Amino acid sequence: MTSSSSSFSSYKSPYEVLGLRPGASRRDVKEAYRRLCLQYHPDLCPKDARPHSETAFKEISAAYTALTKGAGGHTGNTQTGPGGAYYRYSSAYHTHARRGKFSNGVLAAVLAAPLAMLGFMLQRKKDEVMSIGSEMKIRPYGFFHPPVNPYLRDDLKPRTAENKWEDVMSVYAIVGKQTGSLPSAARQPTRRRNTQRRAYSPNATLRVYAGKKNDAKNRQRGSKKPADKKKHNGWKMNSMATVKSDETMLFQPVPGNADALTVIYAYPNDYSVGITSLGYQLVYAFLEMSSLVNVTRMFTDVGDPMPRNDVDLVGFSFSWELDYSNLIDMLGGLDIPILAADRTDKHPIVFGGGPALTANPEPFAAFFDVVLLGDGEEMLSSFIRTVHDVTRDGVVGTSRRRRESILSALAACPGMYIPQFYEPVYDGMTLVDIRPIHPSAQAYVEKQTYRGGTLASSTIVSPRMAWENIFMAEVVRSCPEMCRFCLASYLTLPFRAAPLEGSLIPTIEKGLQYTDRIGLLGASVTQHPEFSALLEWLMQPERSHVRLSIASVRTNTVTEELATALSSRGTRSLTIAVESGSSKVRRIVNKKLEQEDIEKAAVNAQAGGLQALKLYGMAGVPGETEHDIDETIQMMTSLKKAAPKLKLTLGCSTFVPKAHTPFQWRGVDPAADKRLKRMDKELKKHGIQFRPESYKWSVVQALLSRGDRRMTEMLLRAKSLGDSLSTFKRAAKEVPDMPPLSYYAHDIYDDDCVLPWQHLHGPLPIDTLRKHYREAEEEIVSSQEAL
């Protein structure tokens, strides 16, 4: 490409540039232009050849423009016509362009100077205030540093949120005295301009305190404490007023009693993400309908006015590990110390729940006073009642703010995990035990499972949801297939389905009073024992206006009738999880699926009128080889031939080990990165869309999913450094006695080792998980022997 592009000379005529003889026809000019565009267009060339191709492409375009614009019928004139276009081409493109280089540069400098000065000023001030309606928000790093949310993957974009909160370790005040629990992470960062990275001052004796924003209004020179504590939040969020006006409440709030608890219930992400979470809606509705509680909502972008009186509880719905960064920021906005060990009786009890905490709360344990392990339906009532009974002494409006009494009482409740009451024991870098250190702490805490017949459904409908105005109904909980990597299956066992007549139909009928868009949720919706009857009920003529969406469908349940029904109700695509195109890999993960089932699903989807089929797979599965990747590519090309009218998309993630699953002892395979890239390259050749998840952030997710409490100090350091895989690695090296990150992310553990979540019992005992893991190992060995 280098030699070819060098043949384009600035002083050749446009005909020579296009490889034509002088006087060539307009048609020949266009054909030559198209041919050269395909050869030299930067987007179609390898990355290493792009600088040369860009130069060549510019000259090709200039030559084509000169010839086509001059094709006015005159020939032989040096000023007009195809033959005379050379004068304008050479003079406009070369002589004036070369002479105009300096003047253009001066002009650019003049235009850029005010912007550069503005950026410099904003950089020094460290905040940029931007108007949003009548409200404001803060951008911490000025004009040249927009907010960065690392878990928003550029390649897949699995989330719709944007982190709008400030970096608490670099922008907020860090005050107080040093603690003994996390001394190195608690050091105050030294101030350095024009960089997000901050070195730690070795002489600092400050503890981590998420104080107010250190600006002119909230700072007292020479003081290490926040100047103003009248407000709970140290910056302005958008008002919930507009958001609430768009909401339709499907429940009736109950006013709190005179001695009701004051609760802030938060979701560490944007409103559109949080309000679409069925778990968040469920807990919020419970709190609103309890006379023991006055609740305030809080998201990263909007929030209710903060309570004027003392706050008793601050709760977080924690669904995804990488939301920890926003959680830290939100604690900072509420003037609550980040570490539970630094809180006193004047601070509220911070509690959390959700899949990420139920699976393995240990990396985040230091942030929480209480973690609710299990289903909200089973635990919320006893949690609120216990806190209310301990804090209220019978006299209306009075309170006994004794943290020790509250936590001790909660420790006696099933499923209530008090991290401060347990201590990990290490032998060097090896975890050898997690032992109770408080009289109220039990030997282990067991996850609580809701076994009622009525499953969750929407309590709020809003056009601001990620899926606009959708009413969600949980059809099934857990999954009977029990794929060995699947947290959604193993953590929520046993599999149960909502009764059709007594639960599902009345629930959906209630939703249809407010919206015509229905979403059926569950790990495997079509495996509901009465799904055919439910579908028939939804397809009745009186419900022809209903728009129906299904979260996930078991592959071998995709029939032409199902596809026809969905397409008639506004569904354009269907999603199935195949995990791999290799039957061997599917056996290893216990995916009971054959190649014929996958092809039949695609054919039925096309025949039923659907426009697209999305398949989910994984790379780096234990036992996977390059040959298995070849089989996945072959599977997709076979589907393309079997259903040519169907738009096919393969979404592919990297295998990440999860706690309480049989593959918790396995690590991330580094070969997955190259395998994702190879699938991307090969599938593009066949016109198949490939959407890989970021391998680097899959590694970070693995760190958090298998991490222990040593991870807390690393998280605080990494947050101040910028939250990326490289900063995680850098931060880990600064934590004393912490294993290398490869230990958490990539290593294969012995199945009899002590795991960080060993004292937290899930639905299945450890011996059962070990049995399932060894079955997978046997499958891997037998497949290797066959090769």
Side-chain angles (χ1 to χ4, degrees):
M1 185 70 191
T2 304
S3 60
S4 299
S5 61
S6 63
S7 65
F8 288 88
S9 169
S10 299
Y11 298 96
K12 284 187 177 182
S13 74
Y15 289 112
E16 290 177 303
V17 172
L18 296 179
L20 299 172
R21 294 181 179 180
S25 66
R26 187 183 183 91
R27 180 177 180 181
D28 291 338
V29 171
K30 288 186 176 180
E31 288 180 356
Y33 176 67
R34 294 192 185 101
R35 172 176 52 79
L36 292 173
C37 282
L38 292 175
Q39 184 177 356
Y40 292 104
H41 196 290
D43 292 344
L44 303 177
C45 294
K47 290 184 178 179
D48 57 348
R50 283 182 182 176
H52 305 289
S53 64
E54 286 175 356
T55 301
F57 185 70
K58 288 179 181 178
E59 295 203 18
I60 292 168
S61 300
Y64 174 74
T65 301
L67 292 176
T68 54
K69 285 187 176 181
H74 300 279
T75 59
N77 189 314
T78 58
Q79 301 291 329
T80 60
Y86 170 65
Y87 176 81
R88 292 192 309 278
Y89 166 76
S90 60
S91 61
Y93 183 75
H94 302 293
T95 306
H96 294 296
R98 286 186 285 118
R99 188 171 63 235
K101 256 185 181 178
F102 178 76
S103 61
N104 289 343
V106 172
L107 178 62
V110 170
L111 294 176
L115 293 176
M117 290 297 297
L118 176 62
F120 178 73
M121 293 173 62
L122 293 176
Q123 180 74 13
R124 294 193 61 181
K125 291 171 66 176
K126 288 199 173 206
D127 62 355
E128 175 189 358
V129 182
M130 299 181 298
S131 176
I132 302 179
S134 60
E135 301 295 328
M136 313 294 283
K137 71 177 182 180
I138 299 300
R139 178 177 288 183
Y141 297 117
F143 185 79
F144 291 130
H145 294 281
V148 175
N149 192 354
Y151 59 79
L152 271 183
R153 301 164 182 166
D154 293 333
D155 46 10
L156 184 61
K157 298 285 185 184
R159 308 291 288 245
T160 59
E162 176 188 357
N163 185 1
K164 299 182 179 68
W165 289 64
E166 301 184 24
D167 185 346
V168 67
M169 296 294 291
S170 58
V171 181
Y172 285 101
I174 298 181
V175 302
K177 62 181 180 180
Q178 185 178 13
T179 65
S181 56
L182 295 174
S184 54
R187 294 172 183 167
Q188 182 184 23
T190 59
R191 299 186 64 181
R192 293 176 58 193
R193 292 173 181 170
N194 301 325
T195 177
Q196 288 183 332
R197 298 188 174 187
R198 285 165 168 74
Y200 288 94
S201 172
N203 300 320
T205 56
L206 303 183
R207 70 178 180 181
V208 178
Y209 185 98
K212 296 182 181 228
K213 179 179 173 300
N214 193 19
D215 60 13
K217 294 182 180 179
N218 294 326
R219 184 175 68 246
Q220 292 178 346
R221 292 190 177 274
S223 174
K224 295 181 180 179
K225 295 182 180 181
D228 180 13
K229 292 189 177 182
K230 294 181 180 180
K231 297 181 181 179
H232 287 286
N233 52 335
W235 63 93
K236 292 184 179 181
M237 292 184 300
N238 296 334
S239 172
M240 285 283 290
T242 304
V243 170
K244 284 185 174 181
S245 66
D246 291 334
E247 290 181 339
T248 301
M249 296 283 189
L250 279 62
F251 63 92
Q252 185 62 43
V254 176
N257 297 332
D259 63 344
L261 298 172
T262 301
V263 179
I264 297 175
Y265 187 47
Y267 192 93
N269 214 302
D270 278 7
Y271 172 83
S272 64
V273 177
I275 204 62
T276 312
S277 167
L278 202 53
Y280 183 86
Q281 288 195 21
L282 179 73
V283 176
Y284 172 65
F286 172 85
L287 297 175
E288 280 282 26
M289 292 189 292
S290 173
S291 60
L292 301 180
V293 169
N294 288 317
V295 61
T296 297
R297 281 186 292 173
M298 187 178 184
F299 302 89
T300 57
D301 54 346
V302 296
D304 288 319
M306 292 295 103
R308 294 181 178 275
N309 54 323
D310 291 338
V311 177
D312 297 289
L313 295 170
V314 174
F316 290 91
S317 179
F318 199 62
S319 300
W320 203 49
E321 293 96 342
L322 293 177
D323 277 340
Y324 87 91
S325 180
N326 289 342
L327 184 146
I328 292 175
D329 289 346
M330 297 176 88
L331 287 174
L334 295 169
D335 291 344
I336 300 174
I338 296 173
L339 304 179
D342 293 339
R343 297 170 196 148
T344 65
D345 284 350
K346 68 179 181 179
H347 296 115
I349 298 294
V350 178
F351 71 95
L357 291 179
T358 301
N360 177 24
E362 291 306 284
F364 322 102
F367 306 145
F368 292 95
D369 298 302
V370 187
V371 176
L372 279 61
L373 300 178
D375 298 334
E377 301 100 325
E378 194 71 16
M379 307 180 66
L380 285 172
S381 181
S382 61
F383 172 70
I384 295 298
R385 173 60 67 180
T386 300
V387 176
H388 185 273
D389 290 347
V390 174
T391 57
R392 302 311 191 242
D393 59 5
V395 180
V396 174
T398 64
S399 172
R400 304 195 315 269
R401 302 300 301 269
R402 295 202 292 258
R403 296 178 66 84
E404 183 74 14
S405 300
I406 298 173
L407 298 179
S408 296
L410 289 173
C413 300
M416 307 289 179
Y417 174 45
I418 315 298
Q420 299 175 57
F421 289 1
Y422 296 83
E423 180 182 65
V425 181
Y426 301 100
D427 182 8
M429 292 187 179
T430 304
L431 177 67
V432 295
D433 194 15
I434 303 101
R435 64 188 181 193
I437 58 173
H438 192 276
S440 301
Q442 303 178 27
Y444 63 88
V445 183
E446 186 173 355
K447 173 193 175 287
Q448 299 301 293
T449 301
Y450 170 70
R451 299 176 185 270
T454 301
L455 299 182
S457 62
S458 291
T459 58
I460 296 174
V461 173
S462 171
R464 297 174 182 265
M465 300 169 71
W467 295 284
E468 182 179 353
N469 284 324
I470 193 169
F471 176 86
M472 299 171 289
E474 188 180 19
V475 178
V476 296
R477 190 170 294 185
S478 190
C479 177
E481 300 304 320
M482 297 178 66
C483 296
R484 293 178 177 127
F485 61 85
C486 185
L487 181 68
S489 176
Y490 274 86
L491 192 63
T492 58
L493 287 170
F495 175 74
R496 57 261 196 218
L500 190 62
E501 295 296 336
S503 175
L504 265 182
I505 289 181
T507 296
I508 295 174
E509 285 179 332
K510 177 183 177 181
L512 289 175
Q513 297 175 16
Y514 303 95
T515 180
D516 61 357
R517 186 171 184 184
I518 301 296
L520 304 181
L521 304 189
S524 187
V525 172
T526 53
Q527 288 188 276
H528 189 288
E530 299 178 281
F531 181 76
S532 297
L534 174 62
L535 190 64
E536 182 180 353
W537 181 83
L538 287 168
M539 293 301 110
Q540 295 297 318
E542 60 269 24
R543 284 175 282 278
S544 60
H545 63 288
V546 174
R547 298 168 59 198
L548 183 63
S549 301
I550 298 181
S552 183
V553 176
R554 171 75 177 169
T555 304
N556 56 14
T557 62
V558 179
T559 62
E560 185 176 343
E561 291 75 18
L562 173 62
T564 302
L566 293 177
S567 62
S568 68
R569 290 295 187 267
T571 298
R572 296 182 178 181
S573 65
L574 201 61
T575 302
I576 58 176
V578 297
E579 316 315 342
S580 174
S582 167
S583 58
K584 180 199 79 177
V585 171
R586 292 197 295 267
R587 289 194 302 272
I588 291 173
V589 302
N590 197 37
K591 189 75 175 182
K592 307 173 187 70
L593 192 62
E594 300 298 331
Q595 181 69 21
E596 294 77 13
D597 297 327
I598 301 172
E599 290 190 8
K600 190 176 180 180
V603 171
N604 289 339
Q606 178 177 275
L610 294 175
Q611 300 176 13
L613 181 66
K614 300 176 184 178
L615 299 92
Y616 285 144
M618 287 193 301
V621 177
E624 180 188 79
T625 64
E626 294 296 330
H627 178 69
D628 300 315
I629 298 299
D630 293 334
E631 292 195 50
T632 299
I633 296 170
Q634 178 61 38
M635 174 194 70
M636 296 303 298
T637 56
S638 298
L639 295 181
K640 185 74 173 178
K641 295 177 182 178
K645 297 181 181 179
L646 210 58
K647 179 183 177 182
L648 294 177
T649 301
L650 176 62
C652 200
S653 62
T654 301
F655 162 75
V656 175
K658 294 292 184 179
H660 303 291
T661 70
F663 281 170
Q664 62 186 354
W665 291 283
R666 280 279 181 166
V668 174
D669 187 352
D673 191 16
K674 292 184 178 180
R675 292 171 184 172
L676 288 171
K677 294 176 181 177
R678 186 159 76 88
M679 282 192 283
D680 189 15
K681 179 180 178 181
E682 294 298 324
L683 291 176
K684 279 183 177 178
K685 297 178 182 178
H686 300 279
I688 298 171
Q689 191 172 19
F690 184 66
R691 292 184 178 177
E693 286 192 7
S694 167
Y695 169 79
K696 290 184 178 180
W697 284 109
S698 294
V699 173
V700 173
Q701 191 178 353
L703 297 177
L704 301 179
S705 66
R706 294 208 300 180
D708 52 38
R709 295 197 187 183
R710 289 173 289 190
M711 196 74 67
T712 305
E713 185 173 348
M714 187 204 72
L715 293 177
L716 293 173
R717 288 177 176 271
K719 179 167 176 54
S720 69
L721 296 172
D723 274 346
S724 67
L725 181 57
S726 61
T727 57
F728 272 89
K729 292 178 179 178
R730 177 184 168 187
K733 293 178 181 179
E734 299 175 357
V735 179
D737 298 325
M738 183 174 181
L741 294 188
S742 59
Y743 169 78
Y744 298 103
H746 301 294
D747 283 7
I748 300 176
Y749 299 164
D750 293 333
D751 60 11
D752 58 352
C753 71
V754 176
L755 297 169
W757 52 90
Q758 196 96 334
H759 57 306
L760 309 174
H761 290 192
L764 294 180
I766 189 70
D767 289 339
T768 302
L769 296 177
R770 190 178 289 117
K771 175 177 177 292
H772 292 181
Y773 174 61
R774 291 175 178 174
E775 289 174 353
E777 290 285 284
E778 292 173 1
E779 191 67 48
I780 293 173
V781 172
S782 62
S783 64
Q784 292 173 345
E785 292 175 350
L787 291 175

